[in-house]
Amino acid sequence: MVRIVIFGQGLVATHFAIGLERLKNGEIPDYGVPLSNKIPIKYEELEIVGSYDVDTKKIGKTIYDVAKEVFGDTNIPRQLRDVYVRKGIHLDSMKGLPFKAEGLEEQKGLLNAINDLVDEWKSLKPDVFVNVITTEPANKLNTIENIENALINQKLSASQAYAYAVAKYSKETKSSVFINAIPTPIANDPGFVELYKESKAIVLGDDGATGATPLTADLLEHLAERNRKVLEIAQFNIGGNTDFLALDIPERNFMKKKTKSSIVEDILGYNVPNYIKPTGYLPPLGDKKFVAMIIEYISFNNFKDELYIIARINDSPALAGQLVDLARLAKIALDREEYGTIYPINAFYMKNPGPKEGKSIAKTKAYDKLLQWLGIKHGN
Ligand SMILES: NC(=O)c1ccc[n+]([C@@H]2O[C@H](COP(=O)([O-])OP(=O)(O)OC[C@H]3O[C@@H](n4cnc5c(N)ncnc54)[C@H](O)[C@@H]3O)[C@@H](O)[C@H]2O)c1
């Protein structure tokens, strides 16, 4: 079995929980899970054993109850009645948002809160932790010493605190994997990668690549291979879910812009004026975001072409499907004892693949690297 703990029981996590149980019950096809049946770990082996949130409306409820509020009564797998949402670490990750939040550290301090989590996990025995909390402002800490100082001074972000706790649990109890699907630099932070190596743990990240970003990466590769000179890229994303509400706050938006625009220079080899970031919150759009993209480039004989792309994309299910793979790959990586971070996994599934030196590459190329890492031939 692969035992999974979730941080942040929001839309992505709830789609992940529901979709996974439906897959296990044979109720849905596995479209949107890139590796499908190409790897030996079956969906039935994945089990969500715990969940953490800081929204007082979610703490103490089951995932089933949280899902019912979002999706209504229809088709919510009964298995989710057994998993409760527990109180997590807040560290102001919800500051400025219209939700009442509470964290374990508020009564007992951060060090004790982390120790409590690690103790809780000694009985839950997770193998994999999935981080899908609200996008938060955070900076790289670069060394283990800086991480430890920030911990003592309560200067870590919530994701950094969870990442630290997972390393501690791995060192003391059982090797495990932290999947960082949000922009906070963890797999891109040399301090955390070192800490994970030392703790016999694995971190995968940062920021799940879904929606327009992987598509842009592949288009840029296409243009680069044909020696077309890209002049500018404009990419808009407008959505109506709480992720977009959070991304309306400038310092949170900046975190996304950083991970999204990292692809341009990495793939083209030069930078171009670009505007690639979430641009707006419009509630009636719900989770089905509106994406528009324009790429201008110079073709032969100095002629200028333009690509226009318009899409409506269901935001949260896209990442949830990839998490089904990531949890399975995490188990393979644990069995291989590949501690630290694993670029061939990150390059395909993440917007900003760690480690720090790991470039963003086209997802078509990354897919080949992933299959190579897995020892699978293309087409099998
Ligand atoms: N396609 C995608 O939807 C996609 C792609 C890449 C990355 N992401 C990232 O995934 C994350 C989740 O997206 P979402 O749409 O589910 O957002 P959401 O707002 O629906 O869910 C976030 C959840 O995290 C909880 N939370 C906030 N701070 C927390 C903390 N300190 N501890 C525990 N829980 C905390 C919130 O209460 C909420 O329940 C975002 O950071 C987003 O940027 C999403």
Side-chain angles (χ1 to χ4, degrees):
M1 287 311 263
V2 184
R3 298 170 68 81
I4 302 168
V5 156
I6 290 169
F7 300 121
Q9 194 60 51
L11 267 191
V12 171
T14 304
H15 274 284
F16 173 58
I18 294 178
L20 177 59
E21 295 308 328
R22 284 189 186 155
L23 268 182
K24 285 160 55 174
N25 296 341
E27 293 168 32
I28 51 166
D30 64 358
Y31 298 127
V33 181
L35 291 172
S36 184
N37 59 6
K38 289 189 174 71
I39 48 177
I41 299 179
K42 304 267 172 290
Y43 303 129
E44 292 74 22
E45 293 175 53
L46 304 182
E47 191 183 354
I48 297 171
V49 296
S51 168
Y52 291 84
D53 207 291
V54 292
D55 182 338
T56 53
K57 290 215 172 102
K58 292 181 179 170
I59 298 167
K61 289 195 173 149
T62 63
I63 298 183
Y64 183 92
D65 292 329
V66 172
K68 216 166 78 173
E69 278 181 24
V70 185
F71 300 99
D73 262 331
T74 46
N75 256 338
I76 297 175
R78 296 183 63 82
Q79 295 94 318
L80 300 178
R81 287 178 193 240
D82 298 334
V83 192
Y84 282 85
V85 180
R86 300 159 191 243
K87 191 191 282 189
I89 290 173
H90 181 210
L91 291 171
D92 278 347
S93 62
M94 296 283 271
K95 195 174 161 194
L97 291 169
F99 305 99
K100 188 167 179 302
E102 273 173 14
L104 286 174
E105 79 282 7
E106 282 157 28
Q107 285 95 37
K108 47 181 71 171
L110 184 55
L111 272 171
N112 290 330
I114 287 178
N115 288 338
D116 282 7
L117 286 181
V118 173
D119 280 344
E120 226 162 68
W121 300 338
K122 284 180 182 161
S123 50
L124 278 180
K125 297 204 167 27
D127 305 287
V128 175
F129 297 81
V130 175
N131 183 32
V132 276
I133 71 166
T134 309
T135 304
E136 51 172 11
N139 292 315
K140 277 185 199 165
L141 293 161
N142 293 317
T143 64
I144 297 180
E145 198 188 348
N146 290 348
I147 296 171
E148 281 167 352
N149 286 336
L151 170 66
I152 292 162
N153 301 320
Q154 292 216 180
K155 292 268 188 262
L156 291 179
S157 76
S159 301
Q160 288 169 335
Y162 288 134
Y164 184 85
V166 169
K168 191 167 186 325
Y169 161 75
S170 297
K171 195 168 190 169
E172 291 174 6
T173 308
K174 180 180 180 193
S175 289
S176 67
V177 182
F178 185 74
I179 299 172
N180 184 42
I182 84 160
T184 302
I186 307 285
N188 277 278
D189 185 327
F192 273 104
V193 173
E194 199 47 45
L195 178 68
Y196 270 61
K197 274 190 198 144
E198 269 187 12
S199 312
K200 296 198 167 176
I202 299 164
V203 52
L204 302 176
D206 298 307
D207 199 9
T210 63
T213 314
L215 181 62
T216 311
D218 286 348
L219 287 172
L220 293 181
E221 175 68 20
H222 172 91
L223 295 172
E225 285 175 11
R226 276 155 187 77
N227 191 24
R228 289 165 177 161
K229 166 83 171 128
V230 176
L231 297 175
E232 49 107 346
I233 306 163
Q235 187 196 289
F236 300 85
N237 269 271
I238 302 175
N241 57 26
T242 51
D243 188 26
F244 277 86
L245 171 65
L247 294 172
D248 245 13
I249 299 173
E251 53 288 14
R252 295 177 194 264
N253 191 289
F254 183 65
M255 295 301 294
K256 271 284 173 198
K257 184 178 174 348
K258 272 208 285 200
T259 58
K260 279 173 177 283
S261 56
S262 69
I263 58 173
V264 178
E265 193 160 359
D266 278 0
I267 293 176
L268 293 178
Y270 53 89
N271 215 339
V272 295
N274 65 79
Y275 186 99
I276 308 180
K277 59 181 185 179
T279 28
Y281 172 58
L282 183 64
L285 288 178
D287 196 38
K288 199 167 179 181
K289 66 185 175 187
F290 168 62
V291 179
M293 182 175 14
I294 302 175
I295 302 177
E296 287 194 348
Y297 60 87
I298 303 278
S299 186
F300 186 62
N301 216 8
N302 223 15
F303 273 77
K304 192 159 93 179
D305 296 345
E306 286 146 45
L307 294 180
Y308 285 75
I309 288 168
I310 300 278
R312 284 291 299 276
I313 295 176
N314 284 292
D315 204 17
S316 313
L319 181 54
Q322 300 199 10
L323 291 175
V324 174
D325 263 0
L326 282 161
R328 298 187 299 158
L329 291 168
K331 171 72 174 135
I332 293 175
L334 277 175
D335 290 346
R336 293 188 187 177
E337 302 183 358
E338 281 195 34
Y339 304 127
T341 192
I342 303 172
Y343 177 71
I345 299 180
N346 300 336
F348 183 68
Y349 291 95
M350 300 293 169
K351 287 196 185 85
N352 193 15
K356 194 176 120 215
E357 308 73 39
K359 284 199 162 189
S360 289
I361 53 174
K363 297 301 169 191
T364 47
K365 282 192 168 177
Y367 185 67
D368 289 343
K369 278 194 193 298
L370 176 66
L371 293 190
Q372 228 173 38
W373 181 81
L374 284 163
I376 301 175
K377 281 207 190 97
H378 219 305
N380 287 354

